[in-house]
Amino acid sequence: MDRTVGQLSPDSCIFCAIVAGQAPAVVVYEDAHTMAFMDINPATRGHVLVIPKKHARDIFDVDEEEALHVMRTVVRVAKAIDKALQPDGVNLIQANRRAAFQSVYHFHIHVIPRWWDDGLVPIWRHQREDPQVLREVAAKIREAIG
Ligand code: 5GP
Ligand code: ZN
């Protein structure tokens, strides 16, 4: 099974280059811990990426403190998008590892404005699961959280 994590080094990381001012980006917000800039391949008009300035590969690598900073910026950006662009909705999307469609290996959260007619499709189908299966899976996760 491919659980490839991709590039590991901040030296070869495009988002670290953006943070360092060595690669261009259309920035919408920046503070001591985070940056928010336009995605170069927007899923919809107004698609923004929010990142920690400190390199972390993915959700498994990011410090909880850094993640808190990122989430605060995500809330600010989402509210700004809502005010500025008046979308019908907003999705937060976050990918970890290739199997989950991660393509840039510096932790980031997509803030994607949505419109009824934007043509995007759901990423999963709603299919009811056996409650016993839900309980078994939940027990495993609960044990792992500790
Ligand atoms: P992922 O697929 O890892 O969830 O998302 C990576 C995102 O980064 C993609 O939506 C892609 O368009 C965007 N991206 C890749 N390279 C660059 C870049 O150099 N600048 C900007 N602004 N976005 C990028
Ligand atoms: Zn990086």
Side-chain angles (χ1 to χ4, degrees):
M1 190 191 300
D2 184 0
R3 298 180 84 219
T4 307
V5 293
Q7 68 206 51
L8 294 172
S9 160
D11 298 340
S12 57
C13 172
I14 182 64
F15 288 176
C16 282
I18 289 171
V19 170
Q22 289 160 0
V26 181
V27 176
V28 296
Y29 178 82
E30 182 175 4
D31 61 25
H33 295 274
T34 67
M35 266 184 101
F37 50 87
M38 306 309 290
D39 193 302
I40 42 167
N41 309 299
T44 63
R45 178 173 161 268
H47 180 169
V48 170
L49 300 173
V50 179
I51 66 166
K53 286 186 169 175
K54 183 177 165 196
H55 181 85
R57 193 178 55 237
D58 57 24
I59 191 75
F60 310 111
D61 190 38
V62 72
D63 297 341
E64 288 190 358
E65 278 299 315
E66 292 297 323
L68 286 172
H69 290 303
V70 169
M71 202 60 206
R72 180 169 52 209
T73 298
V74 164
V75 171
R76 287 184 184 175
V77 167
K79 287 179 177 174
I81 286 173
D82 198 40
K83 190 173 166 187
L85 306 179
Q86 281 127 38
D88 299 318
V90 170
N91 276 125
L92 305 182
I93 297 181
Q94 199 277 314
N96 305 283
R97 300 185 184 143
R98 280 175 52 183
F101 304 127
Q102 186 174 11
S103 62
V104 173
Y105 296 91
H106 180 129
F107 180 77
H108 53 279
I109 298 181
H110 298 260
V111 185
I112 304 178
R114 299 298 308 276
W115 285 271
W116 287 113
D117 60 353
D118 63 26
L120 300 193
V121 294
I123 61 170
W124 76 89
R125 67 205 146 89
H126 288 228
Q127 196 171 40
R128 198 54 70 96
E129 181 57 283
D130 178 348
Q132 182 54 28
V133 174
L134 297 182
R135 281 192 287 273
E136 285 168 16
V137 177
K140 286 188 179 181
I141 297 170
R142 230 183 281 119
E143 197 183 325
I145 289 178

